[in-house]
Amino acid sequence: PTGSAAAAVLTPREWSIATAAAARERNREIADRLGLSLRTVENHLASVYRKLGVAGRDELREHLG
């Protein structure tokens, strides 16, 4: 799924983390802004990558367009 279809596949928390990561925000920055641990952000990103079938932030950025 891409764009808005990706939003339907992801949980609201995964979506907020995915869009932040696609905007080149660092994991630590995302964690601090959302009040989460670094590990939680990393786990959510791993789930996002798996659900969307992407391998990293560059592909994620293209996917979310």
Side-chain angles (χ1 to χ4, degrees), residues 1-27 29-31 33-34 36 41 44-49 52 54 56-65:
T2 61
S4 61
V9 172
L10 303 176
T11 67
R13 179 65 81 191
E14 289 171 339
W15 178 254
S16 65
I17 291 171
T19 55
R24 299 185 182 199
E25 210 171 322
R26 295 175 186 257
N27 289 358
E29 294 169 333
I30 297 168
R33 185 171 51 79
L34 297 177
L36 302 171
V41 171
H44 279 302
L45 271 178
S47 178
V48 166
Y49 294 162
L52 299 181
V54 298
R57 286 175 193 245
D58 290 335
E59 282 185 43
L60 179 63
R61 195 171 307 110
E62 290 173 14
H63 219 68
L64 298 182

Side-chain angles (χ1 to χ4, degrees), residues 33-44:
R33 185 171 51 79
L34 297 177
L36 302 171
S37 74
L38 178 59
R39 184 70 177 150
T40 297
V41 171
E42 291 168 347
N43 286 337
H44 279 302

